[in-house]
Amino acid sequence: MNNAAMDLVARALDRSISDVPTNGTIETVPGWDSLGHVKVLLLLEAELGRLLMPAEIATIRSVSDIDRILGAAVSR
């Protein structure tokens, strides 16, 4: 697991990285509610330098989902 995904979620939710486990999900990370999800998506778009596609947004529910998207961006 890349710490970049955990760091992104922590920054978006104004939390410590220790509050974001590697297996964290929208259901388990403190503050990752509907508003928190929007913050996570906006910060992810800023990090990627592009808008997320609707199909991508629909798949983002965990730290590992964010890691996958960040990893795909690096391999491009």
Side-chain angles (χ1 to χ4, degrees):
M1 170 66 62
N2 184 340
N3 279 350
M6 294 165 54
D7 180 63
L8 185 142
V9 173
R11 287 185 292 130
L13 302 177
D14 196 27
R15 298 281 180 170
S16 167
I17 196 165
S18 63
D19 291 334
V20 182
T22 57
N23 63 346
T25 69
I26 195 168
E27 290 89 12
T28 62
V29 175
W32 198 348
D33 53 16
S34 57
L35 179 58
H37 195 61
V38 171
K39 292 176 180 179
V40 168
L41 295 175
L42 290 173
L43 187 55
L44 180 56
E45 287 180 334
E47 291 286 323
L48 295 172
R50 66 173 179 83
L51 296 176
L52 292 165
M53 301 300 297
E56 289 176 303
I57 292 170
T59 67
I60 299 171
R61 300 197 45 81
S62 68
V63 172
S64 62
D65 294 335
I66 293 167
D67 186 57
R68 175 181 41 78
I69 291 171
L70 289 172
V74 169
S75 65
R76 286 184 183 170

Coordinates of all heavy atoms in Angstrom, one line a residue:
M1 N 0.9 -1.2 0.0 CA 0.0 0.0 0.0 C 0.9 1.2 0.0 O 1.8 1.4 0.8 CB -0.9 0.0 1.2 CG -1.7 1.2 1.5 SD -2.9 1.7 0.3 CE -4.0 0.3 0.4
N2 N 0.6 2.1 -0.9 CA 1.3 3.4 -1.0 C 0.7 4.4 0.1 O -0.5 4.6 0.2 CB 1.0 4.0 -2.4 CG 1.8 5.2 -2.7 OD1 2.2 5.9 -1.7 ND2 2.0 5.5 -3.9
N3 N 1.6 5.0 0.9 CA 1.2 5.9 1.9 C 0.5 7.2 1.3 O -0.1 7.9 2.0 CB 2.3 6.3 2.8 CG 2.6 5.3 3.8 OD1 1.9 4.4 4.1 ND2 3.7 5.4 4.5
A4 N 0.7 7.4 0.0 CA 0.2 8.6 -0.6 C -1.4 8.6 -0.5 O -2.0 9.6 -0.3 CB 0.6 8.7 -2.1
A5 N -2.0 7.4 -0.7 CA -3.4 7.3 -0.6 C -3.9 7.6 0.8 O -4.9 8.3 1.0 CB -3.9 5.9 -1.0
M6 N -3.2 7.1 1.8 CA -3.6 7.3 3.2 C -3.4 8.8 3.5 O -4.2 9.4 4.2 CB -2.7 6.4 4.1 CG -3.0 5.0 4.0 SD -1.8 3.9 4.8 CE -1.7 4.6 6.4
D7 N -2.3 9.4 3.1 CA -2.0 10.8 3.3 C -3.1 11.7 2.6 O -3.6 12.6 3.2 CB -0.6 11.1 2.8 CG -0.3 12.6 3.0 OD1 -0.2 13.0 4.1 OD2 -0.2 13.3 2.0
L8 N -3.5 11.3 1.4 CA -4.5 12.1 0.7 C -5.8 12.1 1.5 O -6.4 13.1 1.7 CB -4.8 11.5 -0.7 CG -5.7 12.3 -1.5 CD1 -5.2 12.3 -3.0 CD2 -7.1 11.8 -1.5
V9 N -6.3 10.9 2.0 CA -7.5 10.8 2.8 C -7.4 11.6 4.0 O -8.3 12.4 4.4 CB -7.9 9.4 3.0 CG1 -9.1 9.3 4.0 CG2 -8.2 8.6 1.7
A10 N -6.2 11.5 4.7 CA -6.0 12.2 6.0 C -6.1 13.7 5.7 O -6.8 14.5 6.5 CB -4.7 11.8 6.6
R11 N -5.4 14.2 4.7 CA -5.5 15.7 4.4 C -6.8 16.1 4.1 O -7.3 17.2 4.5 CB -4.5 16.0 3.3 CG -3.0 15.9 3.7 CD -2.0 16.4 2.7 NE -2.0 15.5 1.6 CZ -2.2 15.8 0.3 NH1 -2.3 17.0 -0.1 NH2 -2.1 14.9 -0.7
A12 N -7.5 15.4 3.2 CA -8.9 15.8 2.8 C -9.9 15.9 4.0 O -10.7 16.7 4.0 CB -9.4 14.8 1.8
L13 N -9.7 15.0 4.9 CA -10.6 14.9 6.1 C -10.1 15.7 7.3 O -10.7 15.7 8.4 CB -10.9 13.5 6.5 CG -11.5 12.6 5.3 CD1 -11.6 11.2 5.8 CD2 -12.8 13.2 4.8
D14 N -8.9 16.3 7.1 CA -8.3 17.1 8.2 C -8.1 16.2 9.4 O -8.5 16.5 10.5 CB -9.1 18.3 8.6 CG -8.3 19.3 9.4 OD1 -7.1 19.3 9.3 OD2 -8.9 20.1 10.2
R15 N -7.5 15.0 9.2 CA -7.2 14.0 10.2 C -5.7 13.7 10.2 O -5.0 14.0 9.2 CB -7.9 12.7 9.9 CG -9.4 12.8 9.9 CD -9.9 12.8 11.3 NE -11.4 12.9 11.3 CZ -12.1 12.8 12.4 NH1 -11.5 12.5 13.6 NH2 -13.4 12.9 12.4
S16 N -5.3 13.0 11.2 CA -3.9 12.5 11.3 C -3.8 11.3 10.4 O -4.8 10.5 10.3 CB -3.6 12.2 12.7 OG -2.4 11.4 12.8
I17 N -2.7 11.0 9.8 CA -2.6 9.8 9.0 C -2.8 8.6 9.8 O -3.2 7.5 9.3 CB -1.2 9.8 8.2 CG1 -1.3 8.8 7.1 CG2 -0.1 9.6 9.2 CD1 -0.2 8.9 6.1
S18 N -2.5 8.6 11.1 CA -2.8 7.5 12.0 C -4.3 7.2 12.1 O -4.6 6.1 12.6 CB -2.2 7.7 13.4 OG -2.8 8.8 14.0
D19 N -5.1 8.1 11.7 CA -6.6 7.9 11.8 C -7.1 7.1 10.5 O -8.2 6.7 10.4 CB -7.4 9.2 11.8 CG -7.2 9.9 13.2 OD1 -6.9 9.2 14.2 OD2 -7.3 11.1 13.2
V20 N -6.2 6.9 9.6 CA -6.5 6.3 8.3 C -5.8 5.0 8.1 O -4.6 5.0 7.7 CB -6.2 7.3 7.1 CG1 -6.6 6.7 5.8 CG2 -6.8 8.6 7.3
P21 N -6.4 3.9 8.4 CA -5.7 2.6 8.2 C -5.6 2.2 6.7 O -6.4 2.7 5.9 CB -6.7 1.6 8.9 CG -8.0 2.3 8.9 CD -7.8 3.7 8.9
T22 N -4.7 1.4 6.5 CA -4.5 0.9 5.1 C -5.7 0.3 4.5 O -5.9 0.4 3.3 CB -3.3 0.0 4.9 OG1 -3.5 -1.1 5.8 CG2 -2.0 0.7 5.3
N23 N -6.5 -0.3 5.3 CA -7.7 -1.0 4.8 C -9.0 -0.1 5.1 O -10.1 -0.6 5.1 CB -7.9 -2.4 5.5 CG -8.0 -2.3 7.0 OD1 -7.8 -1.3 7.6 ND2 -8.5 -3.4 7.6
G24 N -8.7 1.2 5.3 CA -9.8 2.1 5.6 C -10.8 2.2 4.5 O -10.5 2.2 3.3
T25 N -12.1 2.4 4.9 CA -13.2 2.6 3.9 C -14.0 3.8 4.3 O -13.9 4.3 5.4 CB -14.1 1.3 3.8 OG1 -14.8 1.3 5.0 CG2 -13.3 0.1 3.6
I26 N -14.9 4.1 3.4 CA -15.9 5.2 3.7 C -16.7 4.9 4.9 O -17.1 5.8 5.6 CB -16.7 5.5 2.4 CG1 -17.4 6.8 2.6 CG2 -17.7 4.4 2.2 CD1 -18.1 7.3 1.3
E27 N -16.8 3.7 5.3 CA -17.6 3.3 6.5 C -16.8 3.3 7.7 O -17.3 3.4 8.8 CB -18.2 1.9 6.3 CG -19.4 1.8 5.3 CD -18.9 1.5 3.9 OE1 -17.7 1.2 3.7 OE2 -19.6 1.7 2.9
T28 N -15.4 3.2 7.6 CA -14.6 3.0 8.8 C -13.7 4.2 9.2 O -13.2 4.2 10.3 CB -13.8 1.7 8.7 OG1 -12.8 1.9 7.6 CG2 -14.6 0.5 8.5
V29 N -13.4 5.1 8.3 CA -12.5 6.2 8.5 C -13.3 7.3 9.2 O -14.3 7.8 8.6 CB -11.7 6.6 7.3 CG1 -10.9 7.9 7.5 CG2 -10.9 5.5 6.7
P30 N -12.9 7.8 10.3 CA -13.6 8.9 11.0 C -13.6 10.2 10.0 O -12.6 10.6 9.4 CB -12.7 9.3 12.2 CG -11.9 8.0 12.5 CD -11.7 7.4 11.1
G31 N -14.8 10.7 9.9 CA -15.0 11.9 9.1 C -15.3 11.6 7.6 O -15.5 12.6 6.8
W32 N -15.2 10.4 7.2 CA -15.4 10.1 5.7 C -16.9 9.8 5.5 O -17.3 8.7 5.3 CB -14.5 8.9 5.3 CG -14.4 8.8 3.8 CD1 -15.1 9.4 2.8 CD2 -13.5 7.9 3.1 NE1 -14.6 9.0 1.6 CE2 -13.7 8.1 1.7 CE3 -12.5 7.0 3.5 CZ2 -12.9 7.4 0.8 CZ3 -11.8 6.3 2.6 CH2 -12.0 6.5 1.2
D33 N -17.6 10.9 5.6 CA -19.1 10.8 5.4 C -19.3 11.4 4.0 O -18.4 11.5 3.2 CB -19.8 11.6 6.5 CG -19.3 13.0 6.7 OD1 -18.6 13.5 5.8 OD2 -19.6 13.6 7.7
S34 N -20.5 11.8 3.7 CA -20.8 12.3 2.4 C -20.0 13.6 2.0 O -19.5 13.7 0.9 CB -22.3 12.5 2.2 OG -22.8 13.4 3.1
L35 N -20.0 14.5 3.0 CA -19.2 15.7 2.7 C -17.7 15.4 2.6 O -17.0 15.9 1.8 CB -19.4 16.7 3.8 CG -18.7 18.1 3.7 CD1 -19.0 18.7 2.3 CD2 -19.0 19.0 4.8
G36 N -17.2 14.5 3.5 CA -15.9 14.1 3.5 C -15.5 13.4 2.2 O -14.4 13.6 1.6
H37 N -16.4 12.7 1.6 CA -16.2 12.0 0.4 C -16.0 13.0 -0.8 O -15.1 12.8 -1.6 CB -17.4 11.0 0.0 CG -17.1 10.1 -1.1 ND1 -16.1 9.1 -1.0 CD2 -17.7 9.9 -2.3 CE1 -16.1 8.4 -2.1 NE2 -17.0 8.8 -2.9
V38 N -16.8 14.0 -0.8 CA -16.6 15.1 -1.8 C -15.2 15.7 -1.6 O -14.5 16.0 -2.6 CB -17.7 16.2 -1.7 CG1 -17.4 17.4 -2.5 CG2 -19.0 15.6 -2.0
K39 N -14.8 15.9 -0.4 CA -13.4 16.5 -0.1 C -12.3 15.6 -0.6 O -11.3 16.0 -1.2 CB -13.2 16.8 1.4 CG -14.1 17.9 1.9 CD -13.9 18.1 3.4 CE -14.8 19.2 3.9 NZ -14.6 19.4 5.4
V40 N -12.5 14.3 -0.4 CA -11.5 13.3 -0.9 C -11.5 13.3 -2.4 O -10.4 13.3 -3.0 CB -11.9 11.9 -0.3 CG1 -11.1 10.8 -1.1 CG2 -11.7 11.8 1.2
L41 N -12.6 13.3 -3.0 CA -12.7 13.3 -4.5 C -12.0 14.6 -5.1 O -11.3 14.5 -6.0 CB -14.1 13.2 -5.0 CG -14.8 11.9 -4.7 CD1 -16.3 12.0 -5.1 CD2 -14.1 10.7 -5.3
L42 N -12.3 15.7 -4.5 CA -11.7 17.0 -5.0 C -10.2 17.0 -4.8 O -9.5 17.5 -5.7 CB -12.4 18.2 -4.3 CG -13.8 18.5 -4.6 CD1 -14.4 19.6 -3.7 CD2 -14.0 18.9 -6.1
L43 N -9.7 16.5 -3.7 CA -8.3 16.5 -3.5 C -7.6 15.5 -4.4 O -6.6 15.8 -4.9 CB -7.9 16.2 -2.0 CG -6.5 16.3 -1.6 CD1 -5.9 17.7 -2.0 CD2 -6.3 16.0 -0.2
L44 N -8.3 14.4 -4.6 CA -7.8 13.4 -5.6 C -7.7 14.0 -7.0 O -6.7 13.8 -7.7 CB -8.6 12.1 -5.6 CG -8.2 11.0 -6.5 CD1 -6.8 10.6 -6.2 CD2 -9.2 9.8 -6.4
E45 N -8.7 14.7 -7.4 CA -8.6 15.4 -8.7 C -7.5 16.4 -8.8 O -6.8 16.5 -9.8 CB -10.0 16.1 -9.0 CG -11.1 15.1 -9.4 CD -12.4 15.8 -9.7 OE1 -12.7 16.9 -9.2 OE2 -13.2 15.2 -10.4
A46 N -7.3 17.1 -7.7 CA -6.2 18.1 -7.7 C -4.9 17.4 -7.8 O -4.0 17.9 -8.5 CB -6.3 18.9 -6.4
E47 N -4.7 16.3 -7.1 CA -3.5 15.5 -7.1 C -3.2 15.0 -8.5 O -2.1 14.9 -9.0 CB -3.5 14.4 -6.1 CG -3.4 14.8 -4.7 CD -2.1 15.3 -4.2 OE1 -1.0 14.8 -4.7 OE2 -2.0 16.3 -3.5
L48 N -4.3 14.5 -9.2 CA -4.2 13.9 -10.5 C -4.0 15.0 -11.6 O -3.5 14.7 -12.7 CB -5.4 13.1 -10.8 CG -5.6 11.8 -10.0 CD1 -6.9 11.2 -10.3 CD2 -4.5 10.8 -10.2
G49 N -4.5 16.2 -11.3 CA -4.4 17.2 -12.3 C -5.5 17.1 -13.4 O -5.3 17.6 -14.5
R50 N -6.5 16.4 -13.0 CA -7.6 16.1 -14.0 C -8.9 15.8 -13.2 O -8.9 15.5 -12.1 CB -7.3 15.0 -15.0 CG -7.2 13.6 -14.3 CD -7.0 12.5 -15.3 NE -6.9 11.2 -14.6 CZ -7.9 10.4 -14.2 NH1 -9.2 10.9 -14.4 NH2 -7.8 9.3 -13.7
L51 N -10.0 15.9 -13.9 CA -11.3 15.5 -13.4 C -11.4 14.0 -13.4 O -10.9 13.3 -14.3 CB -12.4 16.1 -14.1 CG -12.5 17.6 -14.1 CD1 -13.7 18.1 -15.0 CD2 -12.7 18.1 -12.7
L52 N -12.0 13.4 -12.4 CA -12.3 12.0 -12.4 C -13.5 11.7 -13.3 O -14.4 12.5 -13.4 CB -12.6 11.6 -10.9 CG -11.5 11.6 -10.0 CD1 -12.0 11.5 -8.5 CD2 -10.5 10.5 -10.3
M53 N -13.5 10.6 -13.9 CA -14.6 10.2 -14.7 C -15.7 9.6 -13.8 O -15.4 9.1 -12.8 CB -14.1 9.1 -15.7 CG -13.0 9.5 -16.7 SD -13.5 10.9 -17.7 CE -14.8 10.2 -18.7
P54 N -17.0 9.7 -14.2 CA -18.0 9.2 -13.4 C -17.9 7.8 -13.0 O -18.1 7.4 -11.9 CB -19.3 9.4 -14.2 CG -18.9 10.6 -15.1 CD -17.5 10.5 -15.4
A55 N -17.4 7.0 -13.9 CA -17.1 5.5 -13.6 C -16.1 5.4 -12.5 O -16.2 4.4 -11.7 CB -16.7 4.8 -14.9
E56 N -15.1 6.2 -12.5 CA -14.0 6.2 -11.5 C -14.6 6.5 -10.1 O -14.3 5.9 -9.1 CB -12.9 7.1 -11.8 CG -12.0 6.7 -13.0 CD -11.0 7.8 -13.3 OE1 -11.3 8.9 -13.5 OE2 -9.8 7.4 -13.2
I57 N -15.4 7.6 -10.1 CA -16.0 8.1 -8.9 C -16.8 7.0 -8.3 O -16.8 6.8 -7.0 CB -16.8 9.4 -9.1 CG1 -15.9 10.5 -9.5 CG2 -17.7 9.7 -7.9 CD1 -16.6 11.8 -10.0
A58 N -17.5 6.3 -9.1 CA -18.4 5.2 -8.6 C -17.7 4.1 -7.9 O -18.2 3.4 -7.1 CB -19.3 4.7 -9.7
T59 N -16.4 3.9 -8.2 CA -15.6 2.8 -7.6 C -14.8 3.2 -6.4 O -14.2 2.4 -5.7 CB -14.6 2.3 -8.6 OG1 -13.6 3.3 -8.9 CG2 -15.2 1.9 -9.9
I60 N -14.8 4.5 -6.0 CA -14.0 5.0 -4.9 C -14.8 4.9 -3.6 O -15.7 5.6 -3.3 CB -13.5 6.4 -5.1 CG1 -12.7 6.5 -6.3 CG2 -12.8 6.9 -3.9 CD1 -12.3 7.9 -6.8
R61 N -14.4 3.9 -2.8 CA -15.0 3.6 -1.5 C -14.0 3.3 -0.4 O -14.3 3.1 0.8 CB -16.0 2.5 -1.6 CG -17.1 2.9 -2.6 CD -18.4 2.1 -2.4 NE -18.9 1.8 -1.1 CZ -19.6 2.7 -0.4 NH1 -19.9 3.9 -0.9 NH2 -20.1 2.4 0.8
S62 N -12.7 3.3 -0.8 CA -11.7 2.8 0.2 C -10.3 3.5 -0.1 O -10.1 4.0 -1.2 CB -11.5 1.3 0.2 OG -11.0 0.9 -1.0
V63 N -9.4 3.4 0.9 CA -8.1 3.8 0.7 C -7.4 3.0 -0.5 O -6.7 3.6 -1.3 CB -7.2 3.7 2.0 CG1 -5.8 4.0 1.7 CG2 -7.8 4.6 3.1
S64 N -7.7 1.8 -0.6 CA -7.1 1.0 -1.6 C -7.6 1.4 -3.0 O -6.8 1.3 -4.0 CB -7.3 -0.5 -1.4 OG -8.6 -0.9 -1.4
D65 N -8.8 1.8 -3.1 CA -9.4 2.3 -4.4 C -8.6 3.6 -4.8 O -8.3 3.8 -6.0 CB -10.8 2.7 -4.3 CG -11.7 1.5 -4.0 OD1 -11.3 0.3 -4.4 OD2 -12.8 1.6 -3.5
I66 N -8.3 4.5 -3.8 CA -7.5 5.7 -4.1 C -6.1 5.3 -4.5 O -5.6 5.9 -5.5 CB -7.6 6.6 -2.9 CG1 -9.0 7.1 -2.7 CG2 -6.6 7.8 -3.1 CD1 -9.3 7.8 -1.4
D67 N -5.5 4.3 -3.8 CA -4.2 3.9 -4.2 C -4.1 3.4 -5.6 O -3.2 3.6 -6.3 CB -3.8 2.8 -3.2 CG -2.3 2.4 -3.4 OD1 -1.4 3.2 -3.3 OD2 -2.1 1.1 -3.6
R68 N -5.2 2.6 -6.0 CA -5.2 2.0 -7.3 C -5.3 3.2 -8.4 O -4.5 3.1 -9.4 CB -6.5 1.2 -7.5 CG -6.7 0.6 -8.9 CD -8.0 -0.2 -8.9 NE -9.1 0.3 -8.2 CZ -9.9 1.3 -8.6 NH1 -9.7 1.9 -9.7 NH2 -11.0 1.7 -7.8
I69 N -6.0 4.2 -8.1 CA -6.2 5.3 -9.1 C -4.9 6.1 -9.1 O -4.4 6.5 -10.2 CB -7.4 6.2 -8.8 CG1 -8.7 5.4 -9.0 CG2 -7.3 7.5 -9.6 CD1 -9.9 6.1 -8.6
L70 N -4.3 6.4 -8.0 CA -3.0 7.1 -8.0 C -1.9 6.3 -8.7 O -1.1 6.8 -9.4 CB -2.5 7.4 -6.5 CG -3.4 8.4 -5.8 CD1 -2.9 8.5 -4.3 CD2 -3.2 9.8 -6.5
G71 N -1.9 4.9 -8.5 CA -0.9 4.1 -9.1 C -1.1 4.0 -10.6 O -0.1 4.0 -11.3
A72 N -2.3 4.1 -11.1 CA -2.6 4.1 -12.5 C -2.1 5.4 -13.1 O -1.6 5.4 -14.2 CB -4.1 3.9 -12.8
A73 N -2.2 6.5 -12.4 CA -1.7 7.7 -12.9 C -0.2 7.8 -13.0 O 0.3 8.4 -14.0 CB -2.2 8.9 -12.0
V74 N 0.5 7.1 -12.1 CA 1.9 7.1 -12.2 C 2.4 6.3 -13.3 O 3.4 6.6 -14.0 CB 2.5 6.6 -10.8 CG1 4.0 6.3 -10.9 CG2 2.2 7.5 -9.7
S75 N 1.7 5.2 -13.6 CA 2.1 4.3 -14.7 C 1.8 4.8 -16.1 O 2.3 4.2 -17.1 CB 1.5 2.9 -14.5 OG 0.1 3.0 -14.7
R76 N 1.1 5.9 -16.2 CA 0.8 6.5 -17.5 C 2.0 7.2 -18.1 O 2.8 7.8 -17.6 CB -0.4 7.4 -17.4 CG -1.7 6.7 -17.2 CD -2.8 7.7 -17.3 NE -4.0 6.9 -17.0 CZ -5.2 7.5 -16.8 NH1 -5.3 8.8 -16.8 NH2 -6.2 6.7 -16.6

